[in-house]
Amino acid sequence: MAQIQIKNVAKNFGGYQALHDINLTIEDQEFMVLLGASGCGKTTLLRIVAGLETATTGEVWIGGKRVDHLAPKDRGIAMVFQNYAVFPHLTVFENIGFGLRMQKMSNEEVTRRVERTAGLMHIDQLLKRYSGELSGGQRQRVAVARALAMEPDVILMDEPLSNLDALLRLEMRAELKGVLAESKTTAIYVTHDQVEAMSLADRISVMHQGKIIQAATPIEVYRNPAAKFVAGFIGNPPMNFLDATPAGDGKWTVAGQVVDGPRVNLDRLQFAIRPEDIQLAEQGMSATAKVVEPLGAHLLVTCHVDGTSFRAVLDSDLTVRPGDTLMLSPQPDRVRWFDPETNLAVA
Amino acid sequence: MNARLLPYMLILPVTLFLGVFFLYPFVLVAQQAFSGSDGFSMANFRDVFSYWKFPISLKNTLLLAAIVVPVQLALSLLMATMVSKMKKGRDLVLYVWTIPLGISDLAAGIIWLAIFEQSGFLNSMMSGLGVIDQPVNFLSYQHPGVIFLAIALAEIWRATAIMLVIIVAGIGLIPKEYYEAAEVFGASPWKRFTKITLPMLRPSLQTALILRVVLAFEVFAVVAALGGTLMPVLMGEIYAYQFDLLNSNAAAALALVVLALSIAFTVIILRVLRVPKGASI
Ligand SMILES: Nc1ncnc2c1ncn2[C@@H]1O[C@H](COP(=O)(O)OP(=O)(O)OP(=O)(O)O)[C@@H](O)[C@H]1O
Ligand SMILES: [Mg+2]
C-alpha cells in the first residue's frame, strides 16, 4: 500500500517561489503523470516527494506515514533522475544493481533482477560497459532499469524516456506501463510530452507556474479542461478560442452566430472548441482559409474567424484552397466556455 | 603555420629547458653512478648496498613513509570532506590549514625541535604540570621511538595540506547528482564516501599520493633538525656521501636508488588507482 499525499506543499528558492500550495493525492498503484512546460516545477515537486529537497511549507505522506523528516532511502521510493545520474565509475550491471547491493541482497538475486530489468529496457548487451561508453538514450535506460530493479512501492520518474527515438520510446512506454501495473507500483511520471502523458496516465496533473491547474483522467483533461491554460496546452493542435457576447437567456453571440451557452451573469465569455470537433456545414461561422496542411488522414486548415486565428481538422477528401470561404459548424456537445477574467471553465 | 606542427612548436621551449637543466644533469649523475676506476662498473652500488648504514636508512625512510603517508591521506580526506560540506568560511579554513605549506621543511623541523628539546615547550609544560621533576632529553639516543614520533608528527603537520588541496579540488569536481542518486538508492553517508567519493576521486588520489610518497622518500631537513645522526635516512646518506665522505660516485648511485624507489611506487600507485576506459566522470 503506497498512497502518496502531498498537502499544502510550497517551495521557495531564495526569493523565487517555485511551488505554490500544491495539494495532490496519488492513490495506491495509480500512474500519475505530471505534465507541464519547462520550468513549471515538476522536478522540484518530485524531489520534494523523494526527500532530496525540503518543502518550505506543507507535508508529504507515503503509505499513510508522514515522511517529511525521513531520509530518501527510508521512504520506499526509487527514482529516475532527469539527468540520469548513472554512476560513471560502475559498469551498467553494477549501476542497475546499486540499490540491491546497498540492501545486501545475495549475488544470485542481484544478477536475476539486473538481468530481468536490463532485458526489459533492451540494454542486456551493455551490462559490462561503463557509462562513458553509452549513448544518452542508453544511459537513460540504465537509469530506468536501476529504479525498476528496486521493485519499490513508489517510483518517481523524471522524463525517463525523453532521450529516446520515437519508435523506441513507444515501445519502452508500453513496457513500462505493463511492468508497473504488474508490480502494483505507485508511479509519478514527469513529462512535457502530452501524447506520452495521455497514453500512460491513470490521471494527469497539469502544472503551470508552480501550481497544479487540473488533476484528472486523460480524457477528462482533454474533454473538460478546467482552465484555459489546460485547453491551450493539451491537444495538438490546441483548442480554438473565440470571444462571445451575451444574447440573453443563455444564448451567446460568437462570430456572428447565436449559440446555446451557460446561463451566467457575465458580459463576456470565451467560446472554446477543439479543431477536431468542427465540421463543414451549409451554414455556420464564416471562415477564411489561410493555410491548408494535408496530414494524410486529415486536413488541417488554419483560417480566420472573426479576426482570430482558428484551426479546423477536416476530412481529407475535401479540397480546400487558401482564400476559400468556409462555413464551420462546431459540434454543440463539445463546446466549452471560459471566463476571460479568471480563465477558468464555466459550466 | 602548419596545424600539425604547432603543438610541438609550442612545447618546444619547455622541452628544451627540461632537457638542458634536468635530463642532461640526470645523465651526468647516472654516468657518475655507473663509472668506476676503469669505465663502466657496478662497484658504487655494491659499496652503497654493503655499507652498514644502508639497511637502517632504507628501513627508516620506508617506515616513515609507511606511517606518515597513510595518516596524511586519512587526515586530508577527513578534512576535505568537512571543508566541502561547509557553506560559509570555507576559504578561510582552507587558508589556515594550508599555512604550514608556506614554511620550509627545515623551519618546520626547527619549530618541532623547539617543542621537543630539553629546554623546549613540551618539557616546560610537563614540569609546570608536575608530571616530571626535571627536564627530559626526548631527542636523545635513549628514546629512538620519540625521535621517530617527533619526525612523523612534524612531517604530518608540514605536508598534509598539499594532499588536502588536491583532494578538495577533486571532491569539488564530483557532481552532486551522484550523491543524490546514491542517497535515494539506500547508501548511508559512509557508503556514499566509499562507493562514490573514493572511486570518483581516484585521479586526485593518484596525484596526491604520488606527490606525497615521492616527497616522503626525500625527507631530509626535518630529520636532520630533530634526529641529527640518530635516525639515518636515505637522503641524509646521500648528503653524507657527497659532503662528508666526499664520494660523489656513491652519492650518485644512492640517488639513483631513491629515484628507482620513487618510480616503482609511482607505477604501483598508478596501477592500483587506475580508472578503466570509459569510467571517468
Ligand atoms: N536549486 C534551485 N535554486 C533556485 N531556483 C531553482 C532551483 N531549482 C529549481 N529552481 C527554479 O524553480 C523552477 C522550477 O524548476 P524545475 O526544475 O522544477 O522545473 P521543471 O518543471 O522540472 O522544468 P523542466 O521541464 O525544464 O525540467 C525553475 O524556474 C527553476 O529555475
Ligand atoms: Mg525537470
Side-chain angles (χ1 to χ4, degrees):
Chain A
M1 275 298 289
Q3 184 200 50
I4 305 169
Q5 285 171 292
I6 299 162
K7 299 182 182 173
N8 306 315
V9 163
K11 177 70 189 177
N12 278 51
F13 287 115
Y16 178 75
Q17 184 140 22
L19 293 176
H20 302 260
D21 195 33
I22 302 280
N23 281 287
L24 191 63
T25 301
I26 296 131
E27 297 302 336
D28 182 37
Q29 301 182 30
E30 190 177 20
F31 200 119
M32 172 65 85
V33 170
L34 295 183
L35 180 64
S38 187
C40 70
K42 306 180 295 292
T43 299
T44 307
L45 184 57
L46 214 59
R47 288 169 57 86
I48 289 174
V49 175
L52 293 171
E53 205 86 69
T54 35
T56 310
T57 58
E59 303 172 4
V60 178
W61 294 64
I62 296 177
K65 203 167 63 172
R66 188 166 175 194
V67 296
D68 301 36
H69 302 291
L70 293 185
K73 69 180 168 71
D74 300 322
R75 296 187 178 202
I77 54 154
M79 185 163 174
V80 181
F81 290 81
Q82 185 167 12
N83 46 15
Y84 324 143
V86 170
F87 304 120
H89 61 290
L90 298 178
T91 59
V92 168
F93 185 100
E94 288 304 327
N95 259 288
I96 301 177
F98 186 88
L100 309 177
R101 295 258 192 244
M102 290 300 130
Q103 296 180 351
K104 301 216 162 34
M105 215 164 263
S106 74
N107 265 330
E108 299 86 75
E109 181 66 5
V110 172
T111 309
R112 195 185 65 75
R113 289 214 202 171
V114 168
E115 280 172 356
R116 194 177 69 90
T117 43
L120 233 46
M121 288 289 117
H122 300 346
I123 44 173
D124 30 2
Q125 315 299 322
L126 310 174
L127 289 176
K128 289 202 178 65
R129 296 224 203 143
Y130 288 102
S131 87
E133 305 164 312
L134 301 179
S135 76
Q138 290 169 335
R139 226 172 283 170
Q140 194 163 34
R141 282 179 281 157
V142 174
V144 176
R146 179 175 62 183
L148 288 179
M150 296 292 284
E151 299 179 3
D153 294 335
V154 172
I155 190 164
L156 308 172
M157 291 176 278
D158 201 344
E159 307 193 18
L161 307 179
S162 60
N163 229 326
L164 306 185
D165 63 72
L167 206 64
L168 194 56
R169 190 188 305 195
L170 214 66
E171 195 179 335
M172 296 284 114
R173 199 157 85 190
E175 205 99 77
L176 258 185
K177 182 152 184 167
V179 175
L180 293 179
E182 194 185 319
S183 60
K184 304 190 189 317
T185 309
T186 310
I188 307 184
Y189 186 105
V190 168
T191 180
H192 34 216
D193 178 344
Q194 46 167 304
V195 179
E196 197 165 284
M198 289 288 202
S199 71
L200 280 174
D202 292 325
R203 276 193 304 152
I204 297 178
S205 296
V206 182
M207 289 185 70
H208 181 52
Q209 294 180 346
K211 297 192 186 79
I212 290 185
I213 309 290
Q214 184 173 16
T217 60
I219 197 68
E220 180 74 6
V221 169
Y222 180 78
R223 283 277 171 251
N224 297 314
K228 200 180 154 187
F229 169 78
V230 180
F233 191 74
I234 302 274
N236 186 20
M239 248 177 165
N240 294 302
F241 300 98
L242 292 172
D243 288 330
T245 47
D249 200 24
K251 305 256 186 231
W252 296 80
T253 311
V254 181
Q257 299 291 112
V258 176
V259 295
D260 283 333
R263 294 172 179 276
V264 288
N265 192 15
L266 290 168
D267 57 357
R268 257 174 356 112
L269 271 188
Q270 290 236 288
F271 164 96
I273 186 78
R274 293 218 171 267
E276 48 275 41
D277 297 331
I278 293 166
Q279 277 114 33
L280 277 189
E282 293 297 312
Q283 58 163 358
M285 299 184 291
S286 133
T288 319
K290 293 288 176 195
V291 183
V292 181
E293 298 166 70
L295 300 178
H298 304 285
L299 200 62
L300 175 61
V301 183
T302 307
C303 37
H304 269 181
V305 174
D306 201 17
T308 347
S309 177
F310 192 94
R311 290 199 189 83
V313 173
L314 302 176
D315 199 47
S316 57
D317 291 341
L318 297 168
T319 24
V320 179
R321 264 181 291 276
D324 289 359
T325 300
L326 309 170
M327 288 297 158
L328 300 179
S329 155
Q331 205 175 310
D333 61 324
R334 294 285 162 84
V335 172
R336 295 293 175 266
W337 301 87
F338 294 95
D339 181 342
E341 293 296 319
T342 61
N343 284 325
L344 295 179
V346 178
Chain B
M1 172 67 68
N2 190 330
R4 274 179 46 205
L5 281 179
L6 185 63
Y8 297 99
M9 298 297 292
L10 291 175
I11 61 168
L12 191 64
V14 179
T15 316
L16 277 178
F17 180 86
L18 285 178
V20 172
F21 292 102
F22 176 76
L23 220 51
Y24 178 64
F26 172 76
V27 169
L28 287 187
V29 168
Q31 214 173 24
Q32 209 168 23
F34 284 106
S35 62
S37 42
D38 37 38
F40 178 86
S41 120
M42 295 296 281
N44 297 319
F45 288 91
R46 245 173 287 150
D47 281 358
V48 165
F49 289 144
S50 57
Y51 187 45
W52 67 273
K53 267 179 138 181
F54 175 75
I56 309 170
S57 51
L58 180 66
K59 191 192 95 189
N60 282 340
T61 307
L62 289 179
L63 198 62
L64 201 57
I67 288 174
V68 167
V69 176
V71 170
Q72 288 186 323
L73 180 65
L75 270 179
S76 52
L77 278 169
L78 182 70
M79 289 155 89
T81 319
M82 292 194 300
V83 162
S84 320
K85 292 254 160 63
M86 289 175 69
K87 295 213 169 64
K88 283 202 184 103
R90 206 187 113 126
D91 291 349
L92 184 70
V93 171
L94 265 182
Y95 282 134
V96 172
W97 281 355
T98 46
I99 284 175
L101 268 190
I103 295 170
S104 79
D105 47 355
L106 184 57
I110 291 170
I111 290 175
W112 285 82
L113 184 63
I115 297 175
F116 277 97
E117 69 187 343
Q118 200 154 10
S119 57
F121 173 66
L122 188 60
N123 264 310
S124 33
M125 196 177 73
M126 282 168 81
S127 65
L129 289 173
V131 184
I132 48 173
D133 299 332
Q134 55 183 27
V136 185
N137 187 1
F138 291 113
L139 303 175
S140 78
Y141 69 96
Q142 287 148 312
H143 305 109
V146 178
I147 295 179
F148 190 88
L149 188 74
I151 293 171
L153 275 177
E155 276 290 289
I156 291 167
W157 176 85
R158 185 179 71 82
T160 301
I162 188 133
M163 292 180 95
L164 174 70
V165 172
I166 297 171
I167 288 172
V168 166
I171 287 182
L173 287 178
I174 303 175
K176 185 171 114 275
E177 64 205 58
Y178 297 126
Y179 291 105
E180 292 185 340
E183 204 180 340
V184 165
F185 287 98
S188 61
W190 174 248
K191 283 280 180 200
R192 294 203 286 277
F193 178 72
T194 57
K195 298 285 175 189
I196 308 293
T197 308
L198 281 186
M200 292 211 179
L201 210 53
R202 276 177 295 184
S204 308
L205 289 178
Q206 274 181 348
T207 314
L209 275 176
I210 290 171
L211 203 62
R212 197 48 211 113
V213 166
V214 169
L215 283 178
F217 291 154
E218 292 169 6
V219 65
F220 176 59
V222 170
V223 177
L226 287 167
T229 51
L230 292 175
M231 193 174 123
V233 288
L234 290 176
M235 273 303 140
E237 290 316 295
I238 296 177
Y239 182 90
Y241 273 124
Q242 180 76 30
F243 297 105
D244 300 338
L245 305 173
L246 300 179
N247 182 351
S248 54
N249 288 33
L254 192 50
L256 285 192
V257 171
V258 174
L259 177 68
L261 212 56
S262 298
I263 291 175
F265 273 85
T266 301
V267 169
I268 291 172
I269 292 167
L270 284 177
R271 290 304 299 264
V272 170
L273 294 175
R274 196 187 63 226
V275 179
K277 193 174 149 289
S280 48
I281 301 176

